[in-house]
């Protein structure tokens, strides 16, 4: 059963960048202000709660993984099109089912003009949970440099669910602008829901997934300021030791500092704040001065069938 849980984890806790991916924008991007010698540091926290309900002859099991760390991008080269190359360093400490987890790895990375971060060349894996978290974080700003971000703007994208057979519909909405650490950040709420089928260790499974999140983006400097995301997954398996898997993943990322190259002329971002379009009663409501607390996904289940697992219980 432990082996089956290990194989099922990737399917059930994937809060990957594809889930929050943004389609192509409709406006010209301004020049990025990142310069060689700049160092951006982000604080990251991750929590994964997984419960596997055993079949009639097997016990149930729980798996808990959590931790915190930093991502650092030390920029050393910027091309004329805005592409930035950097040394990417991940430092992370946490636990996985009570056992300590420590990661300290560096690799070359590219911050593309579309806002997405890519690893350059091959690198060692940092573990399933952290890989999913990195994929999510590195894709959060994709498409934003060229998108019109007026308050109230909404767009929808249909995204694949990694290696699973299925898709998710993600809706993004700009709900306002607020000041964050002296930067003028656009506040974007995202919610999505989808269904998938996937074989886990030879056992067929069917599942549903819901996500919710709020991200903060500085359009003038084209950098991610922060984000809070939550994903909930339900998966039913047949002909396996596990009958049902429930998983909840929460990720939080915040810009801690942006140290500019010595001698670089830096114009501060304007901090004028527009009124937010989000009512305070909404679960993703904007909180002043910092990324919102982990949101609760808004989820409307599709029509159920006898083989579809129960809908995700929002708010739990």
């Amino acid at each position: 059963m432990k082996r089956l849980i290990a194989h099922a984890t990737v399917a059930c806790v994937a809060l990957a960048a594809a889930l929050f991916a943004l389609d192509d924008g409709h406006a010209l991007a301004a020049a990025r202000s990142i310069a060689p010698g700049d160092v951006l540091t982000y604080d990251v926290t991750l929590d994964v709660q997984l419960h596997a309900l055993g079949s009639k002859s097997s016990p149930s099991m729980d798996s808990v993984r959590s931790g915190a760390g930093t991502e650092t991008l030390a920029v050393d080269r910027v091309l004329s099109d805005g592409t930035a190359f950097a040394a990417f360093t991940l430092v992370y400490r946490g636990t996985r089912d009570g056992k300590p987890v420590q990661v300290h790895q560096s690799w070359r990375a590219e911050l593309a003009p579309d806002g997405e971060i890519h690893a350059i060349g091959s690198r060692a894996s940092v573990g399933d949970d952290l890989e999913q978290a990195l994929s999510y974080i590195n894709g959060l700003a994709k498409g934003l440099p060229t998108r019109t971000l007026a308050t109230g703007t909404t767009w929808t994208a249909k995204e694949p669910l990694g290696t699973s057979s299925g898709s998710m519909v993600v809706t993004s909405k700009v709900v306002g602008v607020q000041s964050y650490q002296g930067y003028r950040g656009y506040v974007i709420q995202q919610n999505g829901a989808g269904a998938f089928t996937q074989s886990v260790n030879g056992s067929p499974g069917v599942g549903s997934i819901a996500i919710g999140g709020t991200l903060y983006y500085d359009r003038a400097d084209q950098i991610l300021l922060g984000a809070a995301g939550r994903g909930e997954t339900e998966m039913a398996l047949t002909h396996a030791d596990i009958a049902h898997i429930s998983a909840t993943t929460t990720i939080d990322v915040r810009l801690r500092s942006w140290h500019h190259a010595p001698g670089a002329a830096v114009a501060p971002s304007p901090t004028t704040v527009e009124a937010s379009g989000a009512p305070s009663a909404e679960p993703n409501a904007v909180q002043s001065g910092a990324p919102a607390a982990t949101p609760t996904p808004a989820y409307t289940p599709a029509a159920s069938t006898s083989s579809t697992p129960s809908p995700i219980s929002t708010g739990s």
Side-chain angles (χ1 to χ4, degrees):
M1 187 171 182
K2 289 183 178 179
R3 183 183 178 188
L4 190 55
I5 287 181
H7 282 80
T9 298
V10 175
C12 285
V13 304
L15 188 59
L19 305 188
F20 279 25
L22 305 172
D23 56 352
D24 292 336
H26 307 286
L28 294 177
R32 174 174 284 158
S33 60
I34 293 176
D38 286 1
V39 179
L40 292 90
T41 302
Y42 291 87
D43 290 319
V44 177
T45 60
L46 171 66
D47 182 82
V48 179
Q49 305 282 334
L50 187 148
H51 176 71
L53 178 65
S55 61
K56 293 181 180 179
S57 60
S58 301
S60 299
M61 292 185 67
D62 293 309
S63 181
V64 179
R65 307 92 183 270
S66 62
T70 59
E71 290 184 3
T72 302
L73 287 91
V75 179
D76 51 46
R77 184 185 178 198
V78 179
L79 303 184
S80 59
D81 66 355
T83 302
F85 296 94
F88 187 107
T89 301
L90 174 67
V91 179
Y92 177 88
R93 289 187 177 184
T95 59
R96 182 184 177 100
D97 298 331
K99 297 181 180 180
V101 175
Q102 295 188 30
V103 175
H104 190 162
Q105 290 193 25
S106 298
W107 56 85
R108 295 292 298 167
E110 171 193 72
L111 179 55
D114 67 358
E116 189 171 17
I117 299 175
H118 308 279
I120 299 175
S122 61
R123 64 173 178 82
S125 173
V126 294
D128 291 339
D129 302 328
L130 280 175
E131 289 291 348
Q132 296 292 349
L134 283 176
S135 181
Y136 162 72
I137 294 169
N138 291 348
L140 275 170
K142 182 180 180 181
L144 291 181
T146 57
R147 175 163 288 283
T148 301
L149 298 178
T151 299
T153 301
T154 302
W155 63 94
T156 300
K158 185 176 182 180
E159 302 295 339
L161 292 175
T163 59
S164 303
S165 176
S167 62
M168 168 178 289
V169 176
V170 181
T171 299
S172 303
K173 181 178 181 180
V174 182
V175 297
V177 181
Q178 73 175 56
S179 176
Y180 175 66
Q181 292 189 350
Y183 298 95
R184 186 171 184 261
Y186 285 84
V187 186
I188 303 169
Q189 291 180 358
Q190 295 178 318
N191 290 282
F196 63 92
T197 58
Q198 181 167 343
S199 177
V200 179
N201 201 23
S203 299
V206 59
S208 59
I209 185 168
I211 63 167
T214 304
L215 70 89
Y216 300 76
Y217 179 74
D218 176 17
R219 178 61 173 273
D221 295 308
Q222 298 182 30
I223 62 167
L224 177 71
L225 298 175
R230 171 176 171 144
E232 296 189 24
T233 306
E234 302 285 341
M235 185 176 185
L237 298 168
T238 57
H239 312 301
D241 291 338
I242 296 176
H244 195 99
I245 299 175
S246 299
T248 300
T249 301
T250 56
I251 300 174
D252 187 274
V253 55
R254 303 183 185 209
L255 177 66
R256 176 196 290 183
S257 62
W258 180 1
H259 294 295
H260 294 272
V266 180
S269 299
T271 57
T272 302
V273 180
E274 298 176 9
S276 169
S280 59
E282 289 187 2
N284 290 1
V286 176
Q287 304 296 321
S288 175
T294 301
T296 300
Y299 179 64
T300 302
S304 61
T305 66
S306 59
S307 62
T308 302
S310 59
I312 295 169
S313 175
T314 58
S316 59

